[in-house]
Amino acid sequence: MVKVTTADGLSGWGEGGQYGPPEPVSACIRHVLAPRLIGRDIGHPGAVWEDLYAFSRDFGQNGTYIEAMSAVDIALWDIFGKMLGQPIATLIGGFHRETVKAYATGCYYGEDYDNQTLLLQRLASEAETYADAGFDILKMKIGLLPIKKDAERIAVVRKAVGDDLGLLVDANHAYSSSGAIRIGRALEQHGVQWFEEPVVPEDRDGYRRVRDALDIPIAGGECEFTRFGFLDLFRGECLDIAQPDLCVCGGLSEWSRIQSLAMSFGVLTIPHVWGSGIAMAAALQAIATIPPTPFTINPVPLQNEPVVEFDRKPNPLRDDLLEHNFVLENGSVRVPTAPGLGVTISEAVLAQYAKPEAN
Ligand code: MG
């Protein structure tokens, strides 16, 4: 997480990187990007992005540098919004919606991989808790067990939640394309509404093979960077649903460009959300601005209307960091309309988890 403070005393928060260690991102911000921000006018986050990208192009087109730029960019938009007294969504295109249908991410494997009976019992009761909590959509993990056993898990969850609840699966790129197609047959039988990261992100041909073979929308992109990475995915006809992560893909500035690109390929953008309450706030500002894709007068979540990921694993940096936490209302989450990201960070909570910088 990064806090940017202006000479006028305004401050904004950003977050960068979701999967790897924080130290490289932190070092990149501290030693490379931050010195280039000193003296900049705060009112031009998109121009700052292009300058930082041009500066780091020869060594940082992907990975840590783009994650660091994501954090800085989100913080600059937060400040810019506060400066103008407007939520970021207003500044990057305007609101198409003020509430977003949320999907629960849950039904992880936990322990006892080898005890399929116990696994299935626990899975059924967990899945029921999401339906009882008011979620209309659930995303579960697949890919860590033999295909036959994972197919049983999907069947158990479908039975537990009934036919009306939207069911999504995420393989975290666990399959070869042939394996993904094999389990995809079971997913089709159980009415699964998207298949996320079926194969490794760099296997563009594999994505296309899976997408050609199955009738389920293919989602991916959570570890892809910049408009250029997504252009490659779109040209490769890899995706039905693009999932840029605001804290990975290049922040809000680059996200807007990815979203425009996705629309021009007929792809619905549904940002991936992980990490802290800052990541969630940034994603909600972005999602508020996505037009129904394709446009209809009565958009349907998942079909042409974006939804938001609401992971249900315990996470104090998501659940306690914000002074007003996000809550589920009628299966949806409200987009903050206060200036900037629209959230207030508890620095006392952050201090409990922050690691002192060793320099
Ligand atoms: Mg995922």
Side-chain angles (χ1 to χ4, degrees), residues 139 141 170 172 196-197 222 243 272 309:
K139 186 169 91 180
K141 296 289 179 179
D170 184 358
N172 290 107
E196 178 173 329
E197 288 204 298
E222 68 183 71
Q243 298 177 292
H272 175 259
E309 181 160 19

